[in-house]
Amino acid sequence: MSQFTPEQIFSRSPVIPVLIIKRLEDALPLASALLRGGIDIIEITLRSECALAAISLIREQLPQMLVGAGTVLTSADIDAVVNAGGQFIVTPGATEPLLDQLRQCPIAVIPGISTVSEAMTARAKGFYHLKFFPAEACGGASTLAALAGPLSDIQFCATGGIRPSNKQDYLALAHVPCIGGTWLTPQAAIDAQDWQQISQLAAAAIQ
Ligand code: 3PG
């Protein structure tokens, strides 16, 4: 199994779709629609019963897609994602026990932080690629810009409240190579199986 580094994950695409897959049968058409729109990386959140099955299915059927898991909260989640074939892990926050468990993880890990102190703790434990979450609620791009001063060796993926109208504010920052969000995969479009809309949203997001 080829392994990906955090650097490779951050440079794969400027936008990482964050998916909440409620029905397993939506997994392949949804991932295929994103591929057609030009995006070959996804974060599937562990917020639905079929999330792990969706990770395995997409890994098996769409090998060109890089598949990570989000909403990873516990060491049991970490093990489940690795066993499902997930290629990277994203966490919403960074408690010290979780960071210690993530250090043992065989796949790439992007811990989530929302404060300078959390970022410093993650950095001290060897993590230099972090998720800034929830980005808009925590001051948005101007907060992230301020973090670049003292934390100049850390790169961030910002998520939480990012939309087409504000995404460029983040991507304009040199230490923010990518952002993530759910806006590319509206639940109404998934329910309507409007895969074309999702391809269009993906294509527009990376323009
Ligand atoms: C999340 O983990 O919920 C993501 O950051 C997505 O946030 P969004 O729904 O505001 O895009």
Side-chain angles (χ1 to χ4, degrees), residues 16 18-20 43 45 47 70-71 90-92 131-136 158-163 180-184:
I16 302 176
V18 175
L19 309 186
I20 301 162
E43 173 192 328
T45 61
R47 296 184 208 170
T71 322
V90 183
T91 72
K131 156 168 154 155
F132 179 58
F133 173 81
E136 278 294 292
T159 78
I162 301 184
R163 300 288 174 264
T182 57
W183 87 89
L184 300 92

Side-chain angles (χ1 to χ4, degrees), residues 14-77:
V15 178
I16 302 176
V18 175
L19 309 186
I20 301 162
I21 300 179
K22 295 186 176 167
R23 303 183 318 155
L24 188 57
E25 56 264 45
D26 293 331
L28 291 176
L30 188 50
S32 301
L34 291 167
L35 285 171
R36 284 196 301 277
I39 295 184
D40 60 358
I41 179 169
I42 51 177
E43 173 192 328
I44 298 179
T45 61
L46 302 189
R47 296 184 208 170
S48 64
E49 273 183 24
C50 68
L52 291 165
I55 290 170
S56 298
L57 186 63
I58 296 169
R59 286 282 287 123
E60 206 178 278
Q61 301 291 323
L62 297 172
Q64 64 274 51
M65 182 63 94
L66 180 52
V67 186
T71 322
V72 171
L73 306 177
T74 66
S75 65
D77 291 341

Side-chain angles (χ1 to χ4, degrees), residues 136 161-170 179 183 204-205:
E136 278 294 292
I162 301 184
R163 300 288 174 264
S165 56
N166 59 11
K167 75 181 173 68
Q168 219 42 51
D169 299 343
Y170 291 91
I179 56 175
W183 87 89

Side-chain angles (χ1 to χ4, degrees), residues 90-95 99 102 110-114 118 122 130-133:
V90 183
T91 72
T95 64
L99 287 171
L102 291 169
I110 314 293
I113 63 94
S114 62
E118 289 166 358
L130 305 177
K131 156 168 154 155
F132 179 58
F133 173 81

Side-chain angles (χ1 to χ4, degrees), residues 113-119 131-151 154 156 158 169-170 173 175-176:
I113 63 94
S114 62
T115 68
V116 178
S117 297
E118 289 166 358
K131 156 168 154 155
F132 179 58
F133 173 81
E136 278 294 292
C138 291
S142 58
T143 299
L144 258 182
L147 294 183
L151 301 172
I154 295 187
F156 293 93
D169 299 343
Y170 291 91
L173 302 171
H175 61 311
V176 183

